[in-house]
Amino acid sequence: MITKREVIEQAQKLGFDDVGFTTAHPFEAQQKVLTERAENYSWLREKGMDLMQGTDPKNSFPEAKSIIVLVDTYFRHAFPSSLAGKFGRCYLDDDRVTRGGLYRRTKAFRDFLTANGIATKIPSNLPHRLAAARAGLGTFGKNCLIYSNKVARLSSWIVVLGVVVNHEFEPDQPTSVEGCPKWCKSSCIAACPTNALTGPRTIDPRKCISFLSYYGEGITPLELREPMGMWIYGCDRCQNVCPRNEAWLAQDLPVNKVVEERAGDFELTKLLHMDREYFMQRIWPHMFYMSADELWRWKMNVARVMGNSHDSEYISHLVRVFAESDDLRVKGMAGWAIGQIGGSQAEKELNKLLYESIGMPREEIIQALKRVTR
Ligand code: SF4
Ligand code: SF4
């Protein structure tokens, strides 16, 4: 049977930045957290993700004996400026659908284990970050993220992937503790625009912009529209403000060429007016948490961002989407966004739209008019 050293060498050969080993014991502390905060996580069950089931690797892989955790740095190249601050950095490089580099390297790693008589499984509901800390690969931040102990300049710009195996490897020394410097005044908690971080290592995912941007139901509540700012899909704010990430952020990183080539597809006006075909061909393969049936949410998010941009160039586009969309949530947000941009042109357009609208969008326009005229 292959040794731990041979597994590490293979992971390194495949380009993984770090690798660690832990037992396949249940994550009991996480079971307690999920029980205590059941209300915060019940929506995930509705999305088909059973986190409690994932806390015991044996639930999905009864022969589980160890977990090998792989670490990959996902922010080696910068986003082009048109995308920065609008899309979470991890998403455009997520190649699970396009089957790019990380997908292929993970498959090659599993093939290597299989060829050596070891069966593997990567349960999507495994608490991968907890497994990484238990394998001695990182410590936690108060923002609930994991920070590498060795690579990526000790930052949180890492993907951690737990591979459950049916062979026992000697576990590494856990580092399952918070690693924030005492002098940090919890910048992440203070900077979270929607108060999703309710305390150290405590998050209400239902308030997190990432969740709201791809799973939020109904029109985004009024009080969250401005705090959600320019984020369309995901949010990196609690990582951007973190001093533990400064060393990585201070680098002059080259622009991600692959993402740069696609940047034109993600222009706000194209996203606002896209049809299903455009979405499926150009957007979904890279950002796939929403299906083509949820185009309304994409458009609603983009309309909100246009409003928060305060750029009057977008008013005509918002008027157009208001007229063309059948979805009340998109119409309502377009009305709000025109009011958020403000100014005399916005007021003129809102007055015109007032006579063409009924129901919730009309109410949004009435409220928007109050704001532009005050
Ligand atoms: S901002 Fe401060 S408290 Fe928050 S994760 Fe970073 S170091 Fe920790
Ligand atoms: S990702 Fe954004 S919204 Fe979510 S906890 Fe961090 S700062 Fe708050």
Side-chain angles (χ1 to χ4, degrees):
M1 192 56 77
I2 46 170
T3 64
K4 201 169 155 179
R5 171 64 20 217
E6 285 168 317
V7 173
I8 294 169
E9 282 170 4
Q10 182 65 17
Q12 288 169 340
K13 204 165 115 193
L14 288 166
F16 290 101
D17 296 314
D18 206 358
V19 56
F21 298 77
T22 184
T23 66
H25 295 155
F27 293 86
E28 284 167 358
Q30 182 67 354
Q31 290 172 346
K32 193 163 169 270
V33 166
L34 291 175
T35 305
E36 284 169 2
R37 301 187 212 149
E39 197 190 322
N40 289 5
Y41 294 95
S42 59
W43 58 275
L44 268 164
R45 213 179 243 280
E46 287 154 28
K47 298 276 172 199
M49 174 79 87
D50 187 343
L51 291 188
M52 189 60 92
Q53 197 259 9
T55 58
D56 186 349
K58 288 195 170 64
N59 283 338
S60 44
F61 190 17
E63 306 83 51
K65 295 233 172 74
S66 291
I67 305 173
I68 306 173
V69 186
L70 302 167
V71 178
D72 209 48
T73 306
Y74 65 81
F75 176 23
R76 290 187 179 284
H77 300 93
F79 266 17
S81 56
S82 64
L83 300 185
K86 298 190 185 84
F87 302 93
R89 289 190 181 94
C90 63
Y91 300 109
L92 274 182
D93 263 349
D94 191 329
D95 55 17
R96 278 176 281 176
V97 169
T98 55
R99 308 208 157 177
L102 179 58
Y103 174 89
R104 286 201 298 268
R105 286 188 289 127
T106 307
K107 182 172 183 310
F109 181 72
R110 295 177 74 180
D111 289 347
F112 164 80
L113 293 172
T114 308
N116 284 282
I118 297 174
T120 68
K121 183 141 192 164
I122 304 184
S124 58
N125 59 357
L126 186 79
H128 293 271
R129 289 177 191 159
L130 298 180
R134 202 165 77 181
L137 294 168
T139 60
F140 298 109
K142 287 193 177 122
N143 55 7
C144 303
L145 296 164
I146 185 152
Y147 288 71
S148 171
N149 281 337
K150 276 202 274 183
V151 301
R153 301 198 183 187
L154 316 189
S155 73
S156 64
W157 309 110
I158 51 170
V159 180
V160 292
L161 206 57
V163 183
V164 185
V165 295
N166 67 345
H167 178 71
E168 194 161 332
F169 289 100
E170 191 194 338
D172 292 318
Q173 193 61 34
T175 53
S176 309
V177 290
E178 188 184 295
C180 297
K182 287 204 170 37
W183 51 262
C184 179
K185 307 284 187 234
S186 304
S187 316
C188 53
I189 297 174
C192 176
T194 52
N195 298 318
L197 292 170
T198 52
R201 293 187 59 195
T202 312
I203 188 168
D204 182 347
R206 298 166 302 173
K207 286 190 184 166
C208 177
I209 292 173
S210 297
F211 162 83
L212 290 165
S213 66
Y214 38 70
Y215 292 138
E217 293 298 344
I219 189 165
T220 305
L222 183 63
E223 68 277 12
L224 293 177
R225 296 176 196 170
E226 203 170 79
M228 285 174 74
M230 301 299 287
W231 294 106
I232 296 173
Y233 189 104
C235 169
D236 283 338
R237 195 162 159 82
C238 54
Q239 297 189 84
N240 288 342
V241 299
C242 175
R244 297 177 74 181
N245 282 336
E246 259 176 31
W248 190 265
L249 287 166
Q251 299 173 99
D252 193 9
L253 294 171
V255 171
N256 185 326
K257 292 283 170 212
V258 182
V259 174
E260 191 176 40
E261 275 171 27
R262 288 187 219 134
D265 292 341
F266 288 83
E267 282 172 20
L268 296 191
T269 51
K270 288 184 184 162
L271 295 175
L272 189 71
H273 302 305
M274 68 183 163
D275 58 18
R276 288 174 80 97
E277 192 187 344
Y278 183 98
F279 173 70
M280 287 312 293
Q281 284 179 4
R282 296 171 190 239
I283 308 299
W284 183 80
H286 313 295
M287 295 186 188
F288 45 83
Y289 287 3
M290 285 183 262
S291 72
D293 290 337
E294 293 165 296
L295 265 190
W296 67 268
R297 198 183 289 108
W298 268 99
K299 294 183 182 220
M300 180 183 74
N301 289 342
V302 172
R304 169 184 44 79
V305 165
M306 285 180 166
N308 285 331
S309 76
H310 302 295
D311 182 349
S312 58
E313 292 287 314
Y314 291 131
I315 291 178
S316 60
H317 290 283
L318 291 162
V319 170
R320 182 180 148 198
V321 84
F322 190 98
E324 290 179 357
S325 178
D326 293 330
D327 193 288
L328 297 184
R329 296 159 290 195
V330 176
K331 279 179 181 288
M333 190 61 84
W336 174 85
I338 297 169
Q340 182 75 350
I341 293 171
S344 56
Q345 190 196 346
E347 185 180 357
K348 201 170 109 202
E349 296 296 350
L350 285 170
N351 274 314
K352 278 198 252 166
L353 292 177
L354 186 62
Y355 291 100
E356 298 161 19
S357 55
I358 52 167
M360 181 268 275
R362 182 178 167 83
E363 191 48 41
E364 287 287 349
I365 287 173
I366 291 169
Q367 295 307 321
L369 271 166
K370 281 185 195 161
R371 282 184 291 131
V372 285
T373 51
R374 81 172 163 232

